[in-house]
Amino acid sequence: QVQLVESGGGLVQPGGSLRLSCVASGNILSINAMGWDRQAPGKQQRELVARITGGGSTIYADSVKGRFTISRDNAKNTVSLQMNSLKPEDTAVYYCNANGQVISGQFFNTRGQGTQVTVSS
């Protein structure tokens, strides 16, 4: 079993910054990609925010490029999302996700419980 626990959400004014963090725990052998998705109020689908591979390759949603930065500590199985110049449209529940392999050899693809980010004056 692999668990992801997010932290760092909250209420921030437009133009402000927040940093989200996520730690993976369990019988982890290796983690391939880690990243963040979000689900905005009233929307049924989650959207990709950012993703980072074990080698450090990153992808970002067009809407966050230049404002958000994803980083990862492979030794600690953590991923962070630095969010700057936040806009009201960034308001959403942010979910950490990761995929990889556990010690038994099984593959996993899991998501955390989510953390609320609200951008409002």
Side-chain angles (χ1 to χ4, degrees):
Q1 292 262 348
V2 175
Q3 293 183 328
L4 303 179
V5 178
E6 303 105 332
S7 61
L11 173 65
V12 64
Q13 292 187 340
S17 298
L18 279 176
R19 185 177 180 85
L20 305 182
S21 296
C22 172
V23 58
S25 62
N27 297 326
I28 298 170
L29 176 65
S30 62
I31 301 178
N32 298 326
M34 301 185 79
W36 297 88
D37 297 336
R38 67 186 180 186
Q39 187 168 10
K43 293 192 176 181
Q44 289 188 333
Q45 285 190 326
R46 293 189 180 108
E47 63 169 345
L48 165 72
V49 178
R51 190 88 74 242
I52 185 168
T53 67
S57 297
T58 58
I59 57 172
Y60 293 93
D62 287 343
S63 59
V64 308
K65 283 180 181 176
R67 300 188 297 122
F68 291 11
T69 302
I70 190 169
S71 60
R72 174 173 172 172
D73 186 330
N74 292 331
K76 297 181 179 179
N77 289 336
T78 60
V79 62
S80 298
L81 186 69
Q82 178 65 42
M83 305 185 294
N84 299 328
S85 303
L86 282 161
K87 304 175 181 179
E89 51 264 43
D90 294 317
T91 296
V93 178
Y94 284 69
Y95 298 89
C96 175
N97 55 75
N99 62 76
Q101 198 170 11
V102 294
I103 293 173
S104 67
Q106 288 185 315
F107 293 96
F108 69 89
N109 187 352
T110 192
R111 177 175 285 115
Q113 293 297 308
T115 184
Q116 177 70 47
V117 171
T118 302
V119 185
S120 175
S121 55

